[in-house]
Amino acid sequence: MVTDRPDERKTTYREAMREALREALRADDRVFLMGEDVGRYGGCFGVSLGLLEEFGPERIRDTPLSESAFVGAGIGAALNGMRPIVEIMTVNFSLLALDQILNNAATLLHMSGGQLPVPLVIRMTTGAGRQLAAQHSHSLEGWYAHIPGIRVLAPATIEDARHMLAPALNDPDPVLIFEHGSLYNATGELAPRTTPVDLDHAAIRRPGTAVSLITYGGSLPKALTAADALAADGIDAEVVDLRTLRPLDDAAIAASVARTHRAVVIDEAWRSGSLAAEVSARIAEDSLYELDAPVERVCSAEVPIPYARLLEQAALPQTADIVAAAHRAVD
Amino acid sequence: MTPVRGTRKRKATIGATEAARAEHRGELLHAMLRIRRFEERCVELYSAAKIRGFVHLYIGEEAVAVGVNEALTAEDAVVSTYREHGHALARGLPAEAVMAEMYGKATGCSGGRGGSMHLFDTGRRFYGGNAIVAGGLPLAAGLALADRMRGHFRVTCCFFGDGAYAEGEFHETANLAALWGLPLLFVCENNLYAMGTALQRHEAQTDLALRAASYGMAAWAVDGMDVEAVERAARRATESIRGGGGPRFLEIRTYRFRAHSMYDPDRYRDKAEIEQWKTRDPIARLTDRMREDAEPVEAKLAEIERRITEEIDAAVDAAERAPEEPVGNLLRYVTSAPSEVR
């Protein structure tokens, strides 16, 4: 593809993730990819297409549909000198491996008095919007962000899809990467990068002065579109991409609220007990006297995500909901 | 039913001189008694409120840990359960480090953060101490997978109980291990009770080795009250695994003489059944056999008991005097880097 700048090239989120996997597999022979349909099929969402041909079945390892066993096997392999990347088809299915993730991966280092770090990366899709109904559409990354001992990442841009994997593999502790299913086909420019992405900081995706739209993952494009619509109404919105859901970048959240004095938190999870609730609580703790309006939250309706398109769209945070929430905060 | 090995007429160890056999039996006896006496002391200390939490005693099952450990090298790995004092001690963890952990002290083998159910020692490739029933099995598969991928010819041995057999994680792991030909030794300690529920009340097919074999791996049942039979079976299994034969499964039929845990009033077992199994005490059986073969038992026993008492006294004394982990270190080891803020 020809782009305006010679050092940029057009790519998709899916290809960026694949390129990151390819780079990791080439760079370190301890790295291998394991999960359902990652090999011969090419990945449930096409991310690992072509990797089997390049790296072979030992390193692009198809597994039985046994989430608990292959996630646990990833943990054991990580304890024994490997750097596994485990792919789980969706966060809904990760619940079958929740025991291994919580009771082993997140716990072994501490429970062993520091003897057993678990350098494991687990990737999975999350989120709704493709009419897959309740058992394939939930956003449970906030549950995982509740757990001490693991890092939780939510790459929302092509650049983060391309560049978050390497530092995740360098982390001595378990890292969970949540890829929103609606992002895979996102197309954009990817500039070459020489320095690693840092996994500790949120990113300001659009600077602004009137209201902070704080979000992550699949809701980022909606927040950016909302910011455009708000600009047309004369409201200069800042868009904060959390990027790392655990540990949260408290300083970036507080700094943004100090600039804008208003916050709207957008999260595709259910509102009750969501990551949005955590972010809101931290704003109340750290930035109460900076606020000129109550914190607004835009979350999914408290309902198992329905199949019917009209109902599904009604259940999810939409650009119009974000615009309305920002107006409530500002007006 | 899968025939139980070890109940046949015993043959003397082939090729071993009688003196070597006697010496080896002395070592087995020492290893089993060390576990027994250690745990008996734990019971006293529990009653004295020095040890808290859940404590699951291994008394009666010592032949399993000791016999299996004889077939393992320092290079091999062990994954265990919450009833793991015996596995840890047989593996060579110092009594002092285990006792300090029972006390929750800073010098414990897990820095006081694990307690009775979570003993770890990576230097001895002892990977815990997993208190989720069947939770260690997938982990063991991963250790074995990494060994295979890295070209290490080592065995990973995973202990679990008959209760774990009812968990999906066992079946998922058995399939994975057989499918990938992993160097994994499944050691099912069938003590006939999943917590307080008898085997025939929780398993449709109580012949566990038979079911394991359906995954396409060699599986056999062993008399777990006979330490030499366990050792023979474990050696046979590990030799096959080292030869690239893929996973092996041992159903070791054993019995715990004590309740499931210190909290358990043990109302679900028939006292006569317990007494019947006690007549097959693995320690007494070994000493009887030594007497039968005219090996010197009494002097050896006295010497073993003396050494064990000394070791355990020293362990208790050290644990009593060991420092507590400071509260300032509460957040240590949550992550490898200094802990997250909040």
Side-chain angles (χ1 to χ4, degrees):
Chain A
M1 290 293 280
V2 179
T3 65
D4 297 342
R5 291 179 49 193
D7 60 341
E8 288 190 340
R9 50 192 183 75
K10 259 203 159 30
T11 187
T12 63
Y13 183 100
R14 175 185 289 106
E15 285 161 0
M17 189 59 76
R18 185 184 306 143
E19 213 169 299
L21 288 167
R22 184 176 281 122
E23 176 189 59
L25 287 153
R26 283 180 183 169
D28 184 347
D29 60 13
R30 297 172 305 167
V31 172
F32 69 103
L33 175 70
M34 166 165 68
E36 297 151 334
D37 276 357
V38 297
R40 195 162 293 278
Y41 184 88
C44 294
F45 297 92
V47 172
S48 51
L49 195 66
L51 297 183
L52 175 68
E53 289 71 16
E54 180 173 354
F55 299 102
E58 281 281 306
R59 298 184 69 205
I60 308 296
R61 185 173 283 271
D62 280 316
T63 63
L65 308 189
S66 304
E67 286 80 2
S68 181
F70 68 73
V71 169
I75 296 166
L79 291 175
N80 200 5
M82 300 298 281
R83 289 287 183 277
I85 303 169
V86 172
E87 177 180 308
I88 304 175
M89 188 174 161
T90 82
V91 67
N92 304 265
F93 311 160
S94 79
L95 302 187
L96 293 159
L98 186 56
D99 164 49
Q100 289 296 327
I101 296 169
L102 171 56
N103 289 317
N104 280 335
T107 309
L108 282 169
L109 178 72
H110 183 259
M111 210 162 58
S112 67
Q115 293 181 82
L116 289 178
V118 182
L120 170 70
V121 172
I122 303 174
R123 299 171 41 239
M124 65 187 94
T125 61
T126 184
R130 291 159 297 141
Q131 288 192 260
L132 299 177
Q135 292 181 343
H136 286 68
S137 300
H138 289 147
S139 294
L140 305 176
E141 52 276 8
W143 288 9
Y144 287 103
H146 178 64
I147 303 171
I150 56 177
R151 182 185 285 275
V152 180
L153 305 178
T157 64
I158 288 169
E159 187 178 52
D160 276 352
R162 174 64 185 83
H163 294 294
M164 270 187 166
L165 185 66
L169 281 164
N170 282 330
D171 194 309
D173 302 317
V175 179
L176 270 54
I177 302 178
F178 289 91
E179 302 162 17
H180 195 289
S182 70
L183 293 172
Y184 284 122
N185 292 329
T187 306
E189 315 289 317
L190 185 64
R193 195 189 170 94
T194 48
T195 53
V197 168
D198 107 72
L199 301 181
D200 287 325
H201 293 101
I204 307 300
R205 299 297 181 194
R206 174 191 176 122
T209 54
V211 59
S212 298
L213 307 182
I214 302 167
T215 190
Y216 69 90
S219 298
L220 177 66
K222 294 174 180 175
L224 289 166
T225 307
D228 288 341
L230 289 163
D233 298 339
I235 296 169
D236 182 21
E238 175 155 299
V239 178
V240 181
D241 176 5
L242 293 171
R243 299 173 71 244
T244 298
L245 310 186
R246 185 179 188 98
L248 275 172
D249 186 354
D250 292 331
I253 296 167
S256 180
V257 173
R259 278 191 294 275
T260 66
H261 309 294
R262 295 169 179 87
V264 178
V265 188
I266 306 107
D267 179 358
E268 203 179 290
W270 298 295
R271 183 164 165 270
S272 307
S274 60
L275 194 79
E278 180 64 34
V279 172
S280 305
R282 292 189 189 206
I283 292 170
E285 287 165 345
D286 302 337
S287 310
L288 186 67
Y289 301 114
E290 294 288 351
L291 288 172
D292 288 344
V295 173
E296 291 280 345
R297 280 195 281 161
V298 182
C299 299
S300 283
E302 310 263 328
V303 60
I305 302 297
Y307 161 72
R309 181 167 169 75
L310 194 64
L311 295 176
E312 182 182 39
Q313 292 304 313
L316 303 176
Q318 301 297 352
T319 302
D321 305 324
I322 301 169
V323 170
H327 272 291
R328 282 196 301 274
V330 173
D331 299 344
Chain B
M1 286 294 277
T2 306
V4 177
R5 288 171 196 274
T7 50
R8 307 184 314 284
K9 181 98 181 84
R10 192 175 32 81
K11 286 193 214 130
T13 319
I14 295 161
T17 64
E18 284 180 13
R21 186 186 66 193
E23 191 183 341
H24 182 60
R25 284 175 174 174
E27 288 161 4
L28 296 173
L29 185 61
H30 184 166
M32 288 197 290
L33 267 168
R34 180 171 171 254
I35 297 168
R36 175 82 47 105
R37 298 292 178 250
F38 181 93
E39 288 203 321
E40 286 167 347
R41 185 69 65 89
C42 286
V43 173
E44 289 169 30
L45 293 163
Y46 196 91
S47 306
K50 297 283 188 183
I51 297 172
R52 305 310 306 154
F54 277 133
V55 173
H56 304 86
L57 297 172
Y58 199 61
I59 292 172
E61 301 186 25
E62 296 90 343
V64 185
V66 171
V68 168
N69 189 66
E70 288 298 317
L72 302 175
T73 71
E75 287 289 289
D76 296 329
V78 174
V79 177
S80 179
T81 68
Y82 51 84
R83 195 183 304 283
E84 91 278 34
H85 310 148
H87 304 147
L89 292 168
R91 188 65 190 159
L93 270 74
E96 192 172 311
V98 178
M99 189 59 84
E101 189 58 36
M102 308 283 283
Y103 270 68
K105 294 291 186 77
T107 53
C109 62
S110 306
R113 288 163 176 81
S116 160
M117 299 189 286
H118 305 296
L119 307 172
F120 294 92
D121 186 339
T122 48
R124 292 178 175 81
R125 301 203 78 222
F126 188 77
Y127 290 94
N130 201 306
I132 305 295
V133 171
L137 282 151
L139 204 82
L143 290 165
L145 173 64
D147 276 342
R148 225 202 46 193
M149 290 180 81
R150 297 168 73 203
H152 290 305
F153 290 90
R154 312 192 280 200
V155 172
T156 299
C157 165
C158 188
F159 291 99
F160 57 101
D162 54 295
Y165 215 92
E167 295 280 2
E169 281 187 310
F170 165 71
H171 298 277
E172 289 189 18
T173 305
N175 177 55
L176 203 71
L179 184 72
W180 291 349
L182 299 178
L184 183 57
L185 175 61
F186 290 91
V187 180
C188 179
E189 301 184 307
N190 179 3
N191 65 14
L192 301 178
Y193 288 88
M195 300 194 294
T197 301
L199 185 67
Q200 62 275 16
R201 291 179 190 272
H202 74 82
E203 289 300 321
Q205 168 54 272
T206 56
D207 189 337
L208 305 185
L210 181 74
R211 269 173 76 197
S214 75
Y215 287 103
M217 59 180 157
W220 56 95
V222 187
D223 177 1
M225 308 311 268
D226 177 348
V227 67
E228 290 179 295
V230 174
E231 181 185 346
R232 278 194 301 275
R235 284 188 187 280
R236 183 181 152 209
T238 52
E239 278 160 23
S240 320
I241 294 167
R242 287 184 219 285
R248 290 290 180 271
F249 179 99
L250 297 179
E251 179 200 338
I252 305 190
R253 294 180 183 165
T254 181
Y255 199 81
R256 53 174 166 78
F257 295 167
R258 305 292 181 108
H260 170 70
S261 77
M262 300 297 290
Y263 283 88
D264 169 15
D266 207 355
R267 285 190 288 256
Y268 47 87
R269 296 196 300 187
D270 182 14
K271 296 288 169 286
E273 178 187 276
I274 301 171
E275 291 313 310
Q276 163 60 34
W277 275 92
K278 281 185 177 174
T279 64
R280 302 178 53 203
D281 186 320
I283 293 172
R285 268 177 89 184
L286 184 64
T287 51
D288 289 351
R289 192 173 292 167
M290 290 163 82
R291 287 186 191 99
E292 276 172 39
D293 292 335
E295 291 167 13
V297 178
E298 315 318 322
K300 194 170 272 187
L301 258 178
E303 172 61 10
I304 286 171
E305 292 279 18
R306 191 191 58 74
R307 282 167 53 201
I308 290 171
T309 304
E310 206 171 278
E311 183 187 14
I312 294 172
D313 283 350
V316 173
D317 189 48
E320 287 281 348
R321 288 183 295 104
E324 298 280 359
E325 183 77 359
V327 171
N329 290 347
L330 173 64
L331 297 183
R332 269 184 88 177
Y333 310 131
V334 174
T335 53
S336 297
S339 197
E340 304 167 24
V341 186
R342 306 193 342 192

